[in-house]
Amino acid sequence: FRPFLIGQGVEESQSIINQNMVNDLQFYGGCFPAKLDDKMSSALEVNYNNNDKEYLNGQVNINLLSTGLTLKSKNGNLNWMGAFRYANPTLFVTKLQTSGKYKPIFMDFQFFGNYNLSEDSYLELLFINASNKFDLTPENWKGHFQTSFMDAKEISLDFSGNKIYNFNSNLIGLKLSQKLGKEIEIVSSVSNYIINESENKNLIAQVYYSEDAYNPEDNKLYLKTRYERTNNDLDITMSDIESSLSYKSSSHNIEAGLKFRFANMNNKVNENMFEAGVDSVLELPYELIADQSKQFNSFSVYAQDEIIFNDELQANIGIRYLKYFYNDENLFSPRASISYNYYPSTKLSFSWGYYYQPPFFFEIRDKNLTEQKPLLSQRAIHYILGWETIFKGNNKILVELYYKNLDKLIPYSVENLKLVYGNQNDYKGYAYGLDIQYQGELVKGINTWIGYSYLDTKEKNNISGEYLRRLLDQTHTIRIFLQDRTPKHPNFQSHLLFIVGSGFLYHPRKTITDSESNKNYIVVNYDRAFEYPFFLRADMGLSYKIVFNEEKHLL
């Protein structure tokens, strides 16, 4: 529900998932099974691994931006691992266009334990504590534009004040698994997830204009002063109680489960912005004060069956029911997939399903919805056709064609990396596209992948209007990850990640004149959308592996 994003002050290379603890993961671009809850688009299933070495072992990671320590051990019936990470990406953020005093600090501790109560039962504990803080005190900014040859102008901003963001997440979960014979297993779990976030801002910006950018201090003209003040606090608590029953046979893997979720949000907002100036174009002032307390309790139940007809034909058929008490919705989600291995190394698959995304924090935040009917769940109907072939050992090609029928959409805009949702489910749309990816070993023993994606997604108002591109519609994307090694020194490797894509959309600004004050204001023009030209990113690196023995190495 609250992924770590750069807009929340979290450095890009550190997500909530600790890669040193991961055993396997699977990403579903759509059509995920019924047991994987309710979301409209995609799902990521991550499984932390169990250590099998009966002695203390682990690894240390150190670089210029972060450091981490992971320890694992097996002591009798107890199998555990713990990891600590600390990141201070000051070297990265000091290269931003706006200079200032930056103090980004991100750290987390995670523990995963497995205790065998008997041969047929075991207990698992997962604990995560993440504390992410981002302090920013901007100092100044300068921008230039040119009207003719050698005629450059300058706009400068002198800042005072600071921004302080705090994002704290805590998760603790306990799971008991009990086998009843070889075919039946009962799994019960309880978990508690707590989020505490605060945003404090007190910024003053003096804006100046210079006719001559080569001598900006000469004839420097004051334009306006901008005041921004924010004191926001968000607390979210979610408690889950789950239980599932699974039955495995030679041709069936039947699973059914239920979950009670108790979710509460307390959101306090106190922010305002205004600008003072005489001859300048201003932004419309605003003041927002809110004290929200909302509950998003729910009850869900699912059943699914993985059917193995023979070595060539398999299927997964399931259904979910969700009772969402916030808006009193009753949602049924049938889901199905079938795959056919028409050749030992080639598989064809088709998946279909209904997927709902109930309104949660993002859609409700900062709104007064007491005088209108509550927002409903957004819906998507997925259709995915897939083809996969394996050749020459570990080389693989994957192709997916997909179509998603979108309904009950809540329109949104993007303001400073934050999604701002509308007040009604009054849009509908669609998304279709193609994903092609090669995975394999161009150089024996090391991974390489090359991918291309095409996306077309549009939306329109239910009543009138034409289909228009959705803001995050990035039509073409190419992804390349290459690795190579020196033949005579195989421990010396090079790595290249290259991503290029066509641009996505943004709303431009327009100028309006207030009839009473006769002042000019800049506002967002939601009636038009412009496209960024393209997206380009390249990451390159070199590594050398020093092997001490079979158990120890330095990379």
Side-chain angles (χ1 to χ4, degrees):
F1 285 101
R2 300 288 288 160
F4 284 8
L5 302 174
I6 191 67
Q8 296 174 272
V10 178
E11 179 242 343
E12 61 171 4
S13 64
Q14 180 167 302
S15 69
I16 194 66
I17 301 168
N18 190 321
Q19 61 182 12
N20 294 334
M21 302 175 70
V22 172
N23 182 44
D24 63 79
L25 57 85
Q26 184 171 359
F27 174 73
Y28 298 88
C31 289
F32 42 92
K35 69 176 183 178
L36 290 187
D37 226 319
D38 298 281
K39 279 291 180 182
M40 191 173 65
S41 181
S42 57
L44 178 65
E45 184 179 10
V46 182
N47 292 295
Y48 278 5
N49 66 322
N50 290 317
N51 176 62
D52 57 358
K53 297 178 180 179
E54 295 189 0
Y55 55 87
L56 186 65
N57 63 95
Q59 65 186 86
V60 178
N61 303 89
I62 300 175
N63 59 51
L64 295 177
L65 301 179
S66 62
T67 183
L69 171 66
T70 304
L71 295 175
K72 306 177 183 180
S73 184
K74 184 177 182 181
N75 307 100
N77 292 331
L78 177 62
N79 205 327
W80 64 270
M81 59 180 172
F84 174 78
R85 295 183 297 178
Y86 176 88
N88 188 353
T90 306
L91 289 177
F92 173 75
V93 295
T94 52
K95 300 302 181 183
L96 298 178
Q97 186 180 19
T98 304
S99 61
K101 299 176 182 178
Y102 301 94
K103 296 180 182 179
I105 297 175
F106 316 125
M107 56 185 175
D108 71 349
F109 172 76
Q110 303 192 27
F111 177 86
F112 179 69
N114 181 308
Y115 185 80
N116 292 322
L117 300 173
S118 66
E119 292 184 358
D120 297 323
S121 64
Y122 61 92
L123 195 64
E124 288 180 318
L125 173 68
L126 175 63
F127 173 76
I128 298 176
N129 171 263
S131 177
N132 304 300
K133 186 176 182 180
F134 190 82
D135 292 7
L136 165 62
T137 303
E139 291 178 343
N140 54 67
W141 176 90
K142 292 182 179 179
H144 301 93
F145 62 95
Q146 191 169 347
T147 56
S148 61
F149 182 71
M150 295 299 291
D151 184 15
K153 319 291 185 182
E154 179 180 281
I155 296 289
S156 61
L157 282 74
D158 293 344
F159 287 101
S160 62
N162 56 30
K163 295 181 181 179
I164 301 176
Y165 301 90
N166 285 284
F167 303 93
N168 300 301
S169 299
N170 292 276
L171 168 67
I172 185 168
L174 192 66
K175 182 166 68 174
L176 175 65
S177 300
Q178 176 73 46
K179 292 184 179 180
L180 305 178
K182 296 181 179 180
E183 299 176 338
I184 300 175
E185 183 178 21
I186 298 176
V187 178
S188 301
S189 67
V190 293
S191 63
N192 191 46
Y193 183 39
I194 300 175
I195 299 173
N196 306 112
E197 300 183 0
S198 65
E199 178 184 2
N200 294 281
K201 182 193 304 182
N202 186 11
L203 280 182
I204 301 176
Q206 309 285 351
V207 186
Y208 298 93
Y209 168 74
S210 298
E211 279 282 345
D212 185 2
Y214 302 99
N215 301 286
E217 297 302 321
D218 298 342
N219 300 317
K220 195 172 186 178
L221 177 65
Y222 165 78
L223 293 183
K224 62 181 178 179
T225 302
R226 178 186 178 93
Y227 300 89
E228 292 183 71
R229 296 185 177 90
T230 299
N231 185 15
N232 297 341
D233 290 287
L234 170 68
D235 296 305
I236 297 176
T237 302
M238 289 194 297
S239 299
D240 289 353
I241 302 174
E242 300 181 65
S243 185
S244 65
L245 174 68
S246 61
Y247 169 80
K248 292 184 179 180
S249 67
S250 59
S251 58
H252 290 273
N253 183 5
I254 302 173
E255 184 176 342
L258 56 86
K259 176 168 67 175
F260 295 91
R261 166 165 288 171
F262 306 95
N264 186 70
M265 177 191 76
N266 290 305
N267 183 38
K268 294 183 178 180
V269 180
N270 187 351
E271 58 185 51
N272 62 76
M273 186 282 296
F274 65 94
E275 295 182 346
V278 179
D279 299 321
S280 61
V281 178
L282 307 174
E283 285 196 44
L284 280 172
Y286 77 88
E287 181 177 22
L288 182 59
I289 298 176
D291 189 352
Q292 297 174 303
S293 181
K294 300 288 183 182
Q295 290 185 334
F296 301 96
N297 300 335
S298 65
F299 167 74
S300 60
V301 60
Y302 74 90
Q304 67 177 42
D305 185 11
E306 296 181 25
I307 308 172
I308 302 174
F309 297 101
N310 50 51
D311 292 340
E312 291 80 28
L313 186 63
Q314 297 90 33
N316 186 312
I317 301 174
I319 189 170
R320 284 188 66 86
Y321 165 73
L322 173 68
K323 174 65 176 182
Y324 203 62
F325 294 99
Y326 168 74
N327 51 18
D328 200 29
E329 278 187 303
N330 295 279
L331 304 174
F332 291 90
S333 305
R335 305 173 188 180
S337 65
I338 186 169
S339 62
Y340 176 62
N341 294 70
Y342 62 89
Y343 193 73
S345 58
T346 304
K347 180 172 68 175
L348 186 66
S349 62
F350 176 75
S351 303
W352 164 88
Y354 277 66
Y355 296 86
Y356 293 91
Q357 183 162 308
F360 193 60
F361 164 78
F362 287 107
E363 296 87 344
I364 306 301
R365 182 181 186 265
D366 308 343
K367 292 180 181 177
N368 182 9
L369 302 177
T370 57
E371 298 181 358
Q372 63 185 65
K373 61 181 181 180
L375 292 173
L376 301 176
S377 299
Q378 301 180 89
R379 187 188 70 179
I381 306 175
H382 295 189
Y383 304 85
I384 298 180
L385 179 64
W387 179 79
E388 175 183 323
T389 185
I390 300 174
F391 61 97
K392 292 183 180 180
N394 295 325
N395 294 282
K396 181 189 297 185
I397 294 179
L398 302 95
V399 180
E400 278 192 351
L401 285 166
Y402 62 88
Y403 175 80
K404 299 180 181 181
N405 187 344
L406 311 177
D407 195 15
K408 300 180 181 178
L409 295 178
I410 306 171
Y412 67 88
S413 60
V414 180
E415 293 183 7
N416 295 327
L417 301 179
K418 182 175 71 173
L419 295 181
V420 180
Y421 283 89
N423 295 330
Q424 298 181 41
N425 301 80
D426 54 356
Y427 273 64
K428 64 180 178 181
Y430 64 84
Y432 67 85
L434 167 70
D435 289 323
I436 304 174
Q437 182 153 306
Y438 160 81
Q439 301 174 359
E441 299 178 355
L442 294 180
V443 178
K444 188 176 181 180
I446 53 178
N447 273 334
T448 291
W449 44 262
I450 302 171
Y452 166 77
S453 294
Y454 172 79
L455 169 67
D456 185 339
T457 177
K458 291 184 172 65
E459 65 183 6
K460 74 169 186 176
N461 190 286
N462 286 329
I463 300 175
S464 61
E466 59 179 333
Y467 277 107
L468 300 174
R469 288 176 60 189
R470 305 195 79 195
L471 285 183
L472 300 182
D473 176 17
Q474 195 170 18
T475 309
H476 303 281
T477 307
I478 298 174
R479 307 169 302 279
I480 302 174
F481 177 62
L482 300 174
Q483 297 188 99
D484 199 359
R485 60 160 61 106
T486 305
K488 293 184 178 180
H489 303 280
N491 288 350
F492 185 79
Q493 296 186 10
S494 62
H495 321 272
L496 170 65
L497 173 64
F498 180 76
I499 303 175
V500 61
S502 53
F504 47 87
L505 304 180
Y506 69 96
H507 292 299
R509 304 273 180 140
K510 67 178 181 180
T511 303
I512 63 171
T513 302
D514 183 71
S515 58
E516 297 182 0
S517 63
N518 204 33
K519 286 187 175 182
N520 295 323
Y521 290 101
I522 290 179
V523 297
V524 178
N525 185 3
Y526 293 110
D527 297 327
R528 301 189 66 184
F530 291 166
E531 181 179 8
Y532 289 105
F534 63 89
F535 172 84
L536 174 65
R537 172 175 180 147
D539 294 82
M540 294 172 284
L542 300 173
S543 65
Y544 187 79
K545 184 177 182 179
I546 303 173
V547 179
F548 301 104
N549 53 47
E550 292 183 358
E551 301 293 337
K552 298 179 182 179
H553 68 265
L554 181 66
L555 183 62

